[in-house]
Amino acid sequence: MEKTEQLYEGKAKKVFATDDLDYCIVSYKDDATAFNGKKKGTITGKGVVNNKMSNYMFKMLEKHGILTHYVKELSDRDTLVKKVQIVPLEVIIRNVAAGSFSKRLGVPEGSVLKCPVLEFCYKSDALDDPMVNDSHVLAMGWATEAEVNTIKEMALRINELMKKFFLSVNIDLIDFKLEFGRYKGQIILADEISPDTCRFWDVKTHEKLDKDRFRRNLGGVEEAYAEVMKRIGL
Ligand code: C5P
């Protein structure tokens, strides 16, 4: 399937229409941003890593009954996906305190949480993606109650599957962000699953193997992305 017009350009991806209205093509870029675009840079080869890792994760999740937007990898950077109407929420799941959770609640990074935490943030660059709760989502009409319940159930199930998978390659899944969309009346997993959207720590050393290396100027960014790929066997 061929790309037709560009529908959207985000911070890390471009989305193109195709000649089939049910599908579009996602094209992953090497551009990296953090702090809602305030820090900008490039992570060489990131687009290829994020494309391949996302597709690998979507296929793994599909095997376990999770519906996703994945259709077919077209090239190193391009993937054919189902064209969804995106639910304007970032769904964050946390297993271990880190990042904004640690900052907001004064909890040291690395504290293991008694159970997974699920947060919703409203997707808005202009507002810096503010955290919202279920009643905001219903009151604003961003999703129905049934959709909110489906999203929560799917996100928690995805967490269990991903935690187990990453542990098998000696990586602790600290936290991650998901996005969901509507496709033919169903809620399905969309967007990406990559070191840009997850926190990955080495099980033993707690070395960071994700975008925090870029956000916090830790160096070794490309090497960390390559290490995760190597452990997955990609
Ligand atoms: O910054 P914070 O601690 O809230 O991030 C939680 C998780 O969500 C991290 O894994 C981060 O990579 C991801 N995230 C994301 N996109 C955002 C905000 C957070 O992928 N806009």
Side-chain angles (χ1 to χ4, degrees):
M1 211 168 294
E2 297 295 319
K3 291 177 191 168
T4 56
E5 87 270 25
Q6 184 174 308
L7 298 175
Y8 165 84
E9 177 160 11
K11 285 173 258 183
K13 297 187 283 293
K14 291 181 184 177
V15 181
F16 296 88
T18 67
D19 39 28
D20 186 328
L21 287 178
D22 283 340
Y23 298 105
C24 50
I25 293 172
V26 177
S27 190
Y28 288 76
K29 306 190 287 183
D30 285 354
D31 297 352
T33 63
F35 314 116
N36 194 19
K38 289 177 200 79
K39 178 178 166 78
K40 288 193 173 73
T42 300
I43 302 174
T44 309
K46 173 172 88 78
V48 177
V49 170
N50 289 6
N51 183 38
K52 291 188 176 294
M53 193 182 301
S54 294
N55 294 343
Y56 186 90
M57 296 310 299
F58 287 139
K59 280 189 265 184
M60 184 278 282
L61 294 171
E62 288 269 1
K63 264 193 217 148
H64 289 89
I66 302 287
L67 299 176
T68 81
H69 74 162
Y70 174 78
V71 180
K72 186 174 188 254
E73 189 167 295
L74 300 176
S75 70
D76 274 2
R77 287 173 186 275
D78 291 355
T79 292
L80 186 68
V81 296
K82 294 166 194 156
K83 187 174 181 193
V84 299
Q85 181 200 23
I86 206 84
V87 175
L89 296 173
E90 302 205 328
V91 182
I92 294 173
I93 298 277
R94 303 178 186 271
N95 297 306
V96 175
S100 69
F101 181 94
S102 288
K103 215 169 166 184
R104 200 172 54 243
L105 300 180
V107 183
E109 285 210 323
S111 311
V112 178
L113 302 169
K114 288 187 175 46
C115 61
V117 169
L118 186 151
E119 296 170 352
F120 289 138
C121 295
Y122 172 50
K123 269 171 70 70
S124 164
D125 285 343
L127 300 173
D128 264 346
D129 302 334
M131 193 190 290
V132 294
N133 65 24
D134 299 34
S135 43
H136 293 98
V137 175
L138 301 181
M140 293 301 294
W142 293 324
T144 65
E145 195 169 359
E147 287 175 334
V148 170
N149 290 337
T150 302
I151 288 170
K152 285 184 179 174
E153 273 169 32
M154 285 176 77
L156 292 169
R157 173 83 179 124
I158 291 165
N159 183 43
E160 290 311 314
L161 294 167
M162 281 179 46
K163 250 191 342 194
K164 193 169 159 203
F165 171 77
F166 282 106
L167 203 53
S168 75
V169 294
N170 293 319
I171 289 174
D172 268 334
L173 179 63
I174 305 301
D175 58 30
F176 59 99
K177 185 260 307 184
L178 301 171
E179 294 186 28
F180 293 85
R182 299 180 187 95
Y183 181 75
K184 302 193 176 186
Q186 273 181 312
I187 290 287
I188 68 172
L189 180 64
D191 198 49
E192 66 178 281
I193 298 176
S194 73
D196 272 16
T197 62
C198 303
R199 284 197 173 95
F200 297 133
W201 291 4
D202 179 82
V203 167
K204 281 212 185 90
T205 64
H206 292 181
E207 186 191 358
K208 295 181 190 346
L209 299 170
D210 57 62
K211 197 174 160 190
D212 270 349
R213 302 205 74 84
F214 169 78
R215 295 187 188 103
R216 302 180 187 190
N217 300 316
L218 300 176
V221 185
E222 281 87 357
E223 291 79 359
Y225 280 60
E227 177 62 24
V228 181
M229 288 293 271
K230 194 176 101 190
R231 291 194 193 186
I232 297 177
L234 288 170

